[in-house]
Structures are given as C-alpha cells and as structure tokens.
Amino acid sequence: MDKKLGRLLLIGIPYFWLFLLFLVPFGIVLKISLSDVAVAIPPYTPTFDLESGWEGLKALLVELDFENYIWLTEDDLYWTSYLSSLRIAFVSTVLTLLIGYPLAYSMAKAPSEWRPTLLMLIILPFWTSFLIRVYAWIGILKTEGLLNQLLMFVGIIDDPLQILNTDTAVYIGIVYSYLPFMVLPLYSSLEKMDGSLLEAAQDLGCTAISAFWKVTLPLSMPGIIAGSFLVFIPAIGEFVIPDLLGGSDTKMIGKTLWAEFFSNRDWPVASAVAVLLLLLLIVPIVLFQKQQERAQEAEQ
Amino acid sequence: MSNRFTWFNTTSLTLGFVFLYLPILILVFFSFNESRLVTVWAGFSTKWYVELFKDEAFLDAALVTLRVALLSATVATILGTLAAVVMVRAGRFRGRTLFSGMIYAPLVMPEVITGLSLLLLFVAMGVDRGFWTITMAHITFSMCYAAVVVSSRMVTFDRSLEEAATDLGCTPFQSFIKVTLPIMAPAIISAWLLAFTLSLDDLVIASFTSGPGATTLPMKIYSQVRLGVTPKINALSTILIMIVTMGVITASILTKRAEAQRKADELMAES
C-alpha cells in the first residue's frame, strides 16, 4: 500500500506541475484566441467566472468565435510574417549547415587528444548569454561599426554598407547563435564513422573528393537532418534576433506576436497568432520526432 | 584514418572558431574603452565598470535574476529528476504518452508561446505577477531540460548495483539514496547548471510573466540595448562571460577528476 502511494506521488508531482503550467495554459490561449478584445482588466471578453458554474460555461461558449482568425487571414501583415519566418529560418538553416559542416568534419578528423577541447570550445558559447552574443553583433554590423570600418580601411567599399537592421544581419545572428546546435549532431555522426569505409572507396578507385560525396556525406545524413531541425524549428519562432538585428521591415512571427501583445495590447489576436504558429511548427516537430525514432532504431 | 591536422581541417577550424569567438572578444575589448562610443578606441579605462557598480537599477536586477535562477534551478532539478525517474523506471501507466510529450514539447516550443500562455494562466488565476511568477515559469521550462539530462544518464545506469544494495538489506528508498543518487550526481549537477544558466539567460519568458515589481537582468539589458549600445553593457557582459567561463571550466575539471577517481576505484575493486 505504501509503495503504491510512493509511486502515485512520484508520478503525480511532476505530472501535476506540467499539466497545470504547460497544458492548461494552452487551453487558455486557445480560449482567448476565440474571445474579443475589450478595454478592461484582463483586456478580453468574455471572462469565465468559476462561481457561475455550468450555466456560465455555456454562456461563455456561445460568445466565442473565430473572428480573430478571420482577421489574421485578411491582414497581409500576418501572412508576410509567417512566410518570411519560414524563409528566414530556411535560409539560415542552409547557411548554418554550410558553415557547420566543415567545422564538424574537421573536429571529427582532428587528433583524438584534441577532440574534447574542440568540443568544449563549441559548447562554451552556448553557455554564455544569448542576448549578449546577439548584442555583440550590433557593434560590429552597424553603419559606423567595425565591419564597415574594416572594409573601408581595406578599400573594398567607399561608403558604409547598411547591414544592421536588414535581413542579412538576422541571418548572421541566427547562424552565429545556433551554430553549436548544428555542429554537435554533425560531429557525433561524423565521429562514429568507420574510416575503413573511406579507404575501401579509395581502393576501389574513388578520388578523395568523390569518396566524400559517395560515402561520408550519405553516412552523416542523420546528423545533417538532426542539426537542420534543431536550427530550423527554434529559428521560426525567434524573437530576440529579428528584434535587435533586423529592421522594421523584417517581419518574423515571434516579433509580430510580441508587438501584438506588448504594443497593441491585443491579447486575443496575440493568442490567435500563437495558435497558428504552433500549428505551423507541429509539422517539422513531428517529422523531427519520427526521424529521431528511426535513428534510434537503426542504432539498436 | 589520418590523425593529423590537414591544411583544410586547420583552416576550417580556425575560421570557425574565429567566427564564434571574435565577436565576444571584441565585446570584452571595448568594455575597457575610455570613449562612450563602443566602436572607436580611445584608450584604456575601467570607468564603465565603476559606473556599472554605481547603478542601483542594474544591481537590483542582478539580485532578482540571481534569486530567480537559484530557486528555479533547484526546484527544476528536483522535479526534473523525479520526471526522469518516472520516464526511465515507472514502466507503463495511464497517460504516459502525454507525460513524455509534456517533457519534450517545451524544449522545442518557441519562447513567445510559452511566455504568452503562462502569462494568460497567471492572469486567469488572478495572481500578482512578479518574482514568483517568473520563478514558476522558469521552473516549468527548465525542469524539462533537467529531466532530459538526468534521464539520458539514468538509461545507462547498472541496476544490479541497486539490487546488490537491496540484497545487503537496504530498502528500495535507502538504496536509491545511497547508491543511485551518488552515481547520478554528475548528471544531476549538470542538470542544475543547465537550469541555472537557462534562467539567467531568459528574456522572453521573463518579460511576459514579470510584473511591475520585478525586472531581471536580461530585461534590463534588453531595454538598454534598444536605446543604443553603451560600454556599460559591454562591461556587464564581460563580467557575465567571465563568470560563466570560469564556471564551465571548473565544472569540466571537476567531472574529469570525478571520472578518474571512479575509474581508479573500479580498478581497486577489481584487483
């Protein structure tokens, strides 16, 4: 009996916490996304009053509607935000892969006594504040910043380039911040690779380069896929990078949601944006989950 | 397989690490700049550090952040370890799929959604927002990271050690405390460190769940950065970077030493 109670508590405590603070809030977001904005505290209507019981719940349900979602489809701002989030996340993922692959490859090929140090050097920036790392780029990229000073000093350009507050700055920020997420899975798949396979390919007449395309690259595919998802999924909902490095015409959905909530104080529309963002993310998340499961099965 | 550095490897490692570290080094460098401009060098000075320590708003924010991080990391590690035990040991129970879904989902959830949904919960419950709401929000998302870190170690745990302890007369609870926990300690410590840094670092979720009374350091940095870059932020960043770097290096030395000790003990036990 005692054991049963212990088990109940063991499962119950974390379950209850996550249920109350993770699942229930989503229910509330969904409900508010169907409500109307109001000048009140809290700024939406209808509100649910526990004391009114069943009748109150019925009255509440009657008042909910899809108005906010219709509004979202009619206003261009939201379409552009979703589409450009997808575009920016996709381009950044490709760029991160192009920069991360040679890095991970060289780490995996480094002398084995060097590898722990290299690995730690990749992980270390991940522990330092995200905000600070994004901030560091402002001083480099702005019009009178170091990059422009350098380029003008060398004589490549005569007038400073506008880099900060453009999509280019956002790409740089995302690649910089998420590079470790790409390198780590790539490294772990490249490091496990059996070197004799490459030798076999070369014995059979492959040049080093064609052996890379035919052997190394296909074998590192699980790492490429995992790394790409780990960059793509969080990049879609990113707020800090587009807000600090991007310009006013850089529309990303995380930024739009933030503005809707903090500047326009329109909680129902912000909630509707959140629900749609979640729907947008479910596809890549489920694909990622499936791929991870397959990779695990392949290992066993 | 060659175990030397080829020119290609050396070049890509150098370029890669320059890309990763140069911005941080530049940031640190200009924190010692005499001038108010962050990008024009005007001589060495530590005046921005002095100004930083005179600024009470920053000190208050740092204190709030530290308190939130210590408390939330501790609770998150306890809850996360419980969750890891449930995932690895509890076997089947009703709602297991939902449970592991709730553990993994926050890891990929955009912060804006987590922040918004928690805020709406706190508003619906009628709680006053501030220190406690930020702490609860941080516990919620960092316990999931803690659970993943601890459970990945627990999967490889040799259960025969626990069985031996029970055979020698321990109750299951005693054997968990005396055998399992000490072996799991490195994973639990890294889970705590991860939860702690996640909390220190968080801007988005804290901004949503905070109230008028509580401003965390990232919130303060963010509002300053929006107004423009100042060497004061560089100075603050330098201090934070130093603390984290020293923490990570100490932690890795300690784990290496513990690992060596454990291997030595195993050798002793075998001989």
Side-chain angles (χ1 to χ4, degrees):
Chain A
M1 195 61 225
D2 212 25
K3 210 175 163 186
K4 246 192 172 158
L5 185 73
R7 184 178 153 88
L8 196 70
L9 276 178
L10 175 71
I11 299 178
I13 292 169
Y15 210 119
F16 178 73
W17 185 284
L18 285 173
F19 187 79
L20 187 68
L21 282 126
F22 185 71
L23 214 59
V24 171
F26 279 117
I28 298 177
V29 171
L30 195 64
K31 185 244 137 187
I32 291 176
S33 76
L34 301 172
S35 307
D36 294 320
V37 66
V39 186
I41 299 172
Y44 52 84
T45 178
T47 47
F48 179 55
D49 191 359
L50 266 184
E51 280 157 27
S52 57
W54 189 237
E55 283 306 310
L57 187 66
K58 251 200 244 167
L60 178 96
L61 288 173
V62 171
E63 281 192 59
L64 297 177
D65 55 48
F66 286 94
E67 214 173 35
N68 297 310
Y69 292 92
I70 295 166
W71 160 255
L72 289 189
T73 56
E74 281 169 355
D75 194 323
D76 268 355
L77 169 70
Y78 304 101
W79 280 113
T80 16
S81 298
Y82 284 110
L83 289 178
S84 83
S85 286
L86 282 175
R87 191 196 73 233
I88 290 177
F90 180 77
V91 174
S92 319
T93 306
V94 174
L95 291 173
T96 317
L97 179 63
L98 290 177
I99 295 175
Y101 202 97
L103 192 57
Y105 180 85
S106 307
M107 282 168 64
K109 287 276 146 58
S112 51
E113 67 271 21
W114 272 82
R115 283 183 215 159
T117 316
L118 294 174
L119 205 56
M120 181 148 133
L121 283 173
I122 288 286
I123 297 169
L124 193 59
F126 170 79
W127 289 91
T128 51
S129 168
F130 184 71
L131 189 60
I132 290 175
R133 283 183 292 146
V134 175
Y135 166 74
W137 279 97
I138 298 180
I140 300 174
L141 296 178
K142 60 183 188 168
T143 322
E144 66 276 23
L146 291 163
L147 185 64
N148 274 317
Q149 286 180 32
L150 179 77
L151 290 177
M152 290 203 289
F153 178 75
V154 180
I156 298 176
I157 52 169
D158 296 323
D159 297 307
L161 298 170
Q162 167 80 35
I163 309 174
L164 190 67
N165 302 331
T166 64
D167 285 2
T168 316
V170 177
Y171 294 141
I172 295 175
I174 295 179
V175 171
Y176 182 71
S177 309
Y178 290 108
L179 192 62
F181 290 102
M182 178 64 87
V183 172
L184 292 176
L186 280 176
Y187 170 78
S188 73
S189 73
L190 283 165
E191 200 221 6
K192 278 196 298 236
M193 222 180 69
D194 187 354
S196 59
L197 290 172
L198 274 183
E199 283 167 24
Q202 292 189 352
D203 287 347
L204 294 171
C206 273
T207 62
I209 290 171
S210 68
F212 172 81
W213 288 108
K214 287 187 176 157
V215 179
T216 312
L217 197 66
L219 282 174
S220 62
M221 222 42 184
I224 295 178
I225 295 171
S228 300
F229 275 119
L230 286 177
V231 176
F232 184 75
I233 294 171
I236 290 182
E238 186 53 57
F239 164 73
V240 177
I241 299 172
D243 188 60
L244 290 181
L245 300 180
S248 51
D249 55 337
T250 307
K251 300 273 185 297
M252 281 186 83
I253 200 66
K255 216 176 123 182
T256 307
L257 195 160
W258 180 284
E260 210 59 72
F261 184 83
F262 285 103
S263 314
N264 299 349
R265 304 219 158 264
D266 193 335
W267 293 16
V269 168
S271 303
V273 173
V275 171
L276 290 184
L277 171 57
L278 205 60
L279 290 178
L280 184 74
L281 281 172
I282 280 179
V283 177
I285 290 175
V286 168
L287 284 176
F288 179 54
Q289 202 78 26
K290 286 258 154 64
Q291 193 267 339
Q292 288 297 87
E293 277 164 19
R294 246 181 292 142
Q296 255 170 13
E297 274 167 27
E299 250 171 54
Q300 289 160 3
Chain B
M1 198 167 177
S2 70
N3 263 350
R4 284 171 295 112
F5 285 112
T6 61
W7 67 266
F8 173 79
N9 294 350
T10 318
T11 324
S12 59
L13 284 175
T14 316
L15 287 179
F17 285 116
V18 165
F19 176 63
L20 273 179
Y21 283 92
L22 195 62
I24 298 176
L25 291 178
I26 292 173
L27 178 91
V28 171
F29 182 75
F30 278 103
S31 74
F32 296 106
N33 194 3
E34 174 74 41
S35 159
R36 171 166 284 283
L37 294 169
V38 194
T39 48
V40 184
W41 183 250
F44 181 85
S45 158
T46 50
K47 70 172 179 192
W48 300 111
Y49 290 86
V50 177
E51 275 207 20
L52 182 66
F53 282 103
K54 274 196 237 154
D55 194 331
E56 274 185 27
F58 270 109
L59 293 180
D60 283 345
L63 215 64
V64 171
T65 311
L66 207 63
R67 276 166 55 210
V68 169
L70 285 172
L71 187 61
S72 71
T74 309
V75 179
T77 310
I78 296 170
L79 287 174
T81 307
L82 286 180
V85 173
V86 171
M87 285 200 294
V88 179
R89 295 284 178 81
R92 281 170 191 282
F93 58 90
R94 204 180 301 167
R96 194 191 153 89
T97 322
L98 179 66
F99 186 76
S100 62
M102 287 194 298
I103 292 287
Y104 286 107
L107 306 184
V108 287
M109 196 57 64
E111 287 170 319
V112 279
I113 296 187
T114 313
L116 178 71
S117 66
L118 280 166
L119 167 77
L120 296 179
L121 173 80
F122 293 138
V123 169
M125 294 197 318
V127 220
D128 279 335
R129 274 166 287 147
F131 176 80
W132 287 103
T133 45
I134 303 178
T135 309
M136 282 174 75
H138 282 187
I139 292 171
T140 308
F141 77 90
S142 43
M143 75 174 273
C144 301
Y145 285 89
V148 171
V149 171
V150 175
S151 69
S152 68
R153 180 87 175 81
M154 201 172 258
V155 172
T156 61
F157 180 80
D158 183 2
R159 291 199 74 168
S160 61
L161 293 173
E162 270 178 6
E163 282 160 21
T166 348
D167 288 346
L168 293 170
C170 276
T171 65
F173 182 70
Q174 275 175 331
S175 81
F176 184 79
I177 297 290
K178 288 190 175 167
V179 178
T180 318
L181 273 187
I183 295 178
M184 295 300 301
I188 293 174
I189 292 171
S190 14
W192 189 88
L193 283 174
L194 183 61
F196 184 74
T197 37
L198 284 171
S199 167
L200 277 190
D201 205 17
D202 169 62
L203 165 72
V204 175
I205 292 170
S207 300
F208 274 102
T209 53
S210 155
T215 305
T216 65
L217 206 50
M219 286 163 70
K220 182 82 189 143
I221 296 176
Y222 175 73
S223 64
Q224 287 273 313
V225 170
R226 295 223 65 179
L227 296 176
V229 270
T230 86
K232 219 152 101 181
I233 300 288
N234 288 41
L236 177 64
S237 309
T238 306
I239 297 174
L240 292 176
I241 290 168
M242 293 302 162
I243 295 173
V244 169
T245 311
M246 283 192 302
V248 171
I249 291 173
T250 321
S252 81
I253 291 172
L254 286 181
T255 41
K256 237 178 226 164
R257 215 178 268 172
E259 197 79 352
Q261 181 67 41
R262 199 175 56 83
K263 278 197 183 129
D265 286 349
E266 274 171 16
L267 275 180
M268 285 275 280
E270 275 167 23
S271 61

